[in-house]
Amino acid sequence: MTESQPVSRRGIVAAGAAMAAGVATAGLSAAPAEAAADGASAQAAATGAAGSPHHDRAKPTVVLVHGAFADGSSWAPVTEHLQRWGYTVRSVANPLRGLAADAAQLRSVLATIPGPVVLAGHSYGGAVVTEAAAGVAHVKALVYVAAFVPDAGEVLGELSARFPGSLLDPALTAVPAPGPDGTPGLDLYIRADRFHPVFCQDLPASTARELEAVQRPVSASAFGDRVTAAAWRTIPSWNLVATRDRGIVPELQRFQAKRAGSRTVEIPSSHLPLRSRPGTVAELIRTAARSVPVSPV
C-alpha cells in the first residue's frame, strides 16, 4: 500500500462511476460490561418473540453477508448465538468487487440452499442483499445491520452523501488495483490510524488493531454502481440502527429503515454491532426467522 492516496467522497463516487461505466472484520465476544448491556438490549429486540431458544419447530437457514473492510469472520459472535439456538448459518464470502459482481455471487450461493432463507447484511453487505434477493422466492426475510438499504436506481456514493456527518470518506485510502473487469481501478482501505475511531470505537483498541490488519478492501466501483432492484419492496425486513455509527450515519439508517417499512431496533453502537452487541444482532435475526412460516418438526 505504498502508493496509496487519500480519498474524498466526490473522488470515490467519481472513481466508482467511471469504473461502473467501463463494465456497463476474528470472532470475539463483547467485554463483560458490554455483554451485560448487550443481553438487556437483546431482550428488548426480542419483544413479542415467543418460546425458548430451543423451540420445537423447523428453522429457516440464516445467510449472513459481511460488508466492506471485513470478511465472513466478522459475523462469528453472532453465528455462535444463532447456532446455539439451532439455526443453520452460512456466512458468505462477499467478493467486494462491485455491486453487480457481488450480488451475482450471493445469488449463486442462495441457489444452493434448500428451504426458506433469512438473509442478513451488514454495511455494504446490505446493498448486496438488496440487489441479490430480488426475485428469489425462498428468501423470506431480510435483516439490515448498520447497513445500506438502497432503492432501485440509486448509487451508494450519492445515497451516503444525502446525510452529512460520516467520518468514513476522509479515513479511506486508495490503492491502484484491477477493476472487476480487469481494467485499472482502485481498491479502498481504511487507514490504520482511523480504523478504531471511525469503524469500531466501542471495541478495545487491541481488537481494532487485529481487525484493521486483516481488513479486505472494497473496489471503488461499488460506490458508483447503480442498484437495479430493491428486494425490500417485496420481502419483509428488519433493521438495526446503530446510533453511534460514524461510517453510515444514524440519520441515513433511520431514513432507509422508514422507507423500507422495516421493523426497527436502535442501539448505542458503533458501525460494528456484530462485535460490540452480537446478542442484540442475533436476537433481531431470530425475531425475523420466527416470522417465517415453516413446517413443524
Side-chain angles (χ1 to χ4, degrees), residues 63 90 92-93 95 100-114 128 132-133 136 138:
V63 177
R90 291 281 301 276
V92 175
D102 297 342
Q105 171 68 17
L106 176 55
R107 279 193 295 271
S108 72
V109 173
L110 293 174
T112 70
I113 300 175
V128 177
V136 180
H138 66 299

Side-chain angles (χ1 to χ4, degrees), residues 28-41:
L28 298 173
S29 299
E34 293 171 336
D38 191 27
S41 299

Side-chain angles (χ1 to χ4, degrees), residues 136-166:
V136 180
H138 66 299
V139 175
K140 301 299 185 181
L142 304 172
V143 182
Y144 294 98
V145 181
F148 284 115
V149 190
D151 201 355
E154 291 183 334
V155 174
L156 293 188
E158 296 171 356
L159 179 61
S160 178
R162 291 181 62 169
F163 294 85
S166 174

Side-chain angles (χ1 to χ4, degrees), residues 253-268:
Q253 294 182 42
R254 293 186 183 108
F255 163 77
Q256 295 175 129
K258 181 178 180 180
R259 179 174 67 175
S262 301
R263 291 80 159 169
T264 303
V265 172
E266 294 198 0
I267 61 169

Side-chain angles (χ1 to χ4, degrees), residues 51-73:
S52 67
H54 301 285
H55 46 83
D56 185 24
R57 60 198 294 262
K59 300 175 176 69
T61 299
V62 176
V63 177
L64 307 174
V65 182
H66 66 82
F69 319 113
D71 60 22
S73 68

